[in-house]
Amino acid sequence: MELDRTGPRLALFLTAAVQLGYALMAILNLLKWHHGSLGLVSAVLILIAFFGLQLFHCNPYTAHLRARIGPWTLALQAALAYAPLPMFGVLWGGFGGFLSGSVLVVLRGSALAWILFVLNACAVFGLAVARFTLVESLYLTLATVVIGLMVHGLTRLSDIVVEQYRLRHRAAWAAVSGERLRFARDLHDLLGYSLSAITLKSELTLRKVGVDDDHARKELVETLNIARQALADVRAVAHGYREMSVVAELRSVTGVLNAAGVETAIEGEPGELDPRTGTILAIVLREAVTNLLRHSAARRCRIEFGETDGRLWMAISNDGVEAEVSPVEADLCSGGLGNLAYRLGAVGGGLISTTEWGWFHLRVVVPARLAGPWPTAGRRPTPHHAS
C-alpha cells in the first residue's frame, strides 16, 4: 500500500531550496566582490562542505545518524563558518546564522541549544566589531539570529510533515491489518457453523437416498437454504457487518441438532433484544453448536436464556465430551472461543466455559443494550475456562 508522498517531498524540497538558494547568493557575491582566484576557489569549496553539513543537519531522515555524530559535525560546521570570516568579511556574513539553526536542530529540546544560539550571536558581534563598522557588525549579528530562526523553523516544519506522513502510514497499515483480522474472524464465526451443518446434512441426505427419498429431498432443501445463507454471510463479511436474529438462529441450530440426533432442550426465551445484542448472541450460539458438532459426541444439549441485573445471559451445555481433549482446548487452537471472547469483551460482556463429568458448559453475559461501534480488530483476550 502506497501513500501520497507529495507532502514530505515538497517540505524537503523547500527546505533544501531555501538553503541552497542562499549558498548560490553567497557564491554570486563572492564572484562580484572578490577577484582572487585561489581565494575564490577556496571559498566555493568551503561553501560546498558547509552546506553539505547544513543539509545533513536539516534532513529528518538522518535523525538517527545525526544523534550519534551530530556534535562532531556541528564542530566542523562551526570551523567552516568562522575560519573564512577574516578573509571575506561581510561577504561571509550570515553563515553564523546557519550554524545557529543547526545548533537548534541537532540539540533540539535542550537548554544548551539556546545557550549556544545566544553565544554564537555574541561571538559574531564580537568578531565583527573588531574588524568592521558598528552598522556592519549589527547587520551580521541580526542576520545570524534571523537566519538561525528561519533554518530552525523550516526544519521543524519539515520534521512535522514527515512525521505526519509516517503516522498516516502506520494508521493505514493498522486499518488494513484490522480489516484482515475482522474478515478472518467473521469468516470463522459465520461460516464455521454453516459448513458444519452442510456437511452433516449432506451425509444424512446420502444415507436417506434410496431409503427415504422424501426425507432426503427435505434434507437437501434445508442444505440448499443453509448454503444460500452462507453465501449471504460471505457477502456481508465483505461489506462490513450484518445483523443476525438470535431467534432465527435458535430455530436453525435446533433443526441441525435434531438432524444430528442430538436431543435439544430450550429453557427461557431471548425476548425482544437490541439488534446488536441479538447479533452477538446469535454468533455465540453458532460457534457453540459448531464446537458441539466438531469436538464432541453429544446426544443431549441444553440452551438457556435469562436476565440478571440488567445483563442478559445465555448458557449452552452438551454431553459427549471426551476426557482427553475438551472442546475448550480444541477450540482455543482454532481461535473460535478467542474470537467470541474478543467480541464480548469489546462490548462489556464476558464468557466462561467449564468441562465437568463429560459435559461442556458455555455461559456468556452481555449488556442488554450496547452503545458505540461494532468491535473490529484488536488483540483477543483469552476466554475464562476451567476443567
Side-chain angles (χ1 to χ4, degrees):
M1 181 185 56
E2 185 68 25
L3 292 180
D4 184 11
R5 298 181 61 90
T6 303
R9 288 171 179 166
L10 180 60
L12 293 176
F13 170 78
L14 291 176
T15 302
V18 169
Q19 299 184 62
L20 292 177
Y22 193 91
L24 181 59
M25 292 168 57
I27 292 175
L28 293 176
N29 280 331
L30 290 170
L31 289 173
K32 180 178 180 180
W33 299 107
H34 194 84
H35 302 292
S37 59
L38 182 60
L40 185 60
V41 171
S42 300
V44 171
L45 293 176
I46 292 173
L47 277 172
I48 293 174
F50 181 90
F51 278 97
L53 292 171
Q54 185 67 35
L55 294 178
F56 169 74
H57 291 153
C58 296
N59 190 339
Y61 293 104
T62 62
H64 294 296
L65 181 60
R66 193 169 61 231
R68 295 200 302 269
I69 65 174
W72 299 102
T73 55
L74 271 180
L76 179 58
Q77 190 177 21
L80 295 176
Y82 281 105
L85 190 59
M87 182 184 299
F88 299 103
V90 178
L91 296 178
W92 204 256
F95 287 90
F98 287 96
L99 176 62
S100 294
S102 294
V103 167
L104 294 178
V105 171
V106 174
L107 304 178
R108 184 172 63 195
S110 66
L112 178 62
W114 291 102
I115 292 173
L116 292 177
F117 180 86
V118 174
L119 290 177
N120 185 52
C122 293
V124 169
F125 181 77
L127 291 174
V129 166
R131 289 182 53 85
F132 313 122
T133 66
L134 180 61
V135 173
E136 291 174 331
S137 301
L138 291 175
Y139 168 79
L140 290 176
T141 305
L142 182 61
T144 298
V145 173
V146 172
I147 293 175
L149 294 175
M150 177 200 70
V151 169
H152 179 247
L154 280 175
T155 304
R156 287 294 296 129
L157 287 175
S158 296
D159 289 345
I160 291 172
V161 171
V162 171
E163 184 60 27
Q164 287 299 312
Y165 171 82
R166 288 172 175 166
L167 291 175
R168 284 179 57 201
H169 190 267
R170 294 193 196 105
W173 272 111
V176 170
S177 299
E179 187 64 12
R180 287 172 178 168
L181 288 174
R182 181 198 68 81
F183 192 82
R185 184 174 57 246
D186 290 352
L187 279 180
H188 179 281
D189 292 346
L190 294 175
L191 296 184
Y193 162 78
S194 298
L195 296 177
S196 297
I198 289 172
T199 301
L200 175 67
K201 285 188 169 291
S202 297
E203 293 174 348
L204 182 59
T205 302
L206 184 61
R207 291 197 299 268
K208 294 295 183 180
V209 170
V211 177
D212 188 346
D213 289 340
D214 290 339
H215 193 175
R217 279 192 293 271
K218 178 182 176 182
E219 294 295 336
L220 190 59
V221 170
E222 292 183 3
T223 302
L224 181 59
N225 290 334
I226 295 174
R228 286 171 175 164
Q229 184 60 58
L231 178 60
D233 290 340
V234 171
R235 290 172 177 167
V237 168
H239 290 88
Y241 214 92
R242 74 177 183 90
E243 292 181 356
M244 298 171 60
S245 168
V246 67
V247 175
E249 203 62 40
L250 189 60
R251 289 196 299 266
S252 176
V253 300
T254 300
V256 171
L257 290 174
N258 289 337
V262 180
E263 180 184 342
T264 307
I266 301 174
E267 299 181 12
E269 294 181 355
E272 293 293 330
L273 300 178
D274 176 86
R276 296 180 55 205
T277 302
T279 298
I280 290 181
L281 290 181
I283 291 174
V284 173
L285 185 59
R286 273 195 176 195
E287 182 63 27
V289 173
T290 302
N291 290 340
L292 181 155
L293 297 173
R294 292 175 57 192
H295 304 305
S296 71
R299 286 294 172 264
R300 288 178 293 172
C301 176
R302 184 172 64 253
I303 303 173
E304 304 171 80
F305 295 92
E307 182 176 352
T308 304
D309 298 329
R311 293 171 66 84
L312 301 175
W313 57 267
M314 180 177 67
I316 305 166
S317 306
N318 65 271
D319 64 356
V321 177
E322 298 180 3
E324 292 80 3
V325 180
S326 70
V328 176
E329 296 169 337
D331 194 54
L332 280 175
C333 296
S334 64
L337 288 182
N339 288 343
L340 298 183
Y342 167 74
R343 292 182 188 278
L344 291 164
V347 297
L351 176 153
I352 299 176
S353 57
T354 59
T355 304
E356 57 182 0
W357 303 105
W359 277 75
F360 173 65
H361 305 278
L362 178 67
R363 180 184 175 90
V364 298
V365 180
V366 67
R369 300 193 68 83
L370 304 180
W374 284 102
T376 54
R379 184 177 180 181
R380 296 178 300 194
T382 302
H384 300 289
H385 63 277
S387 297

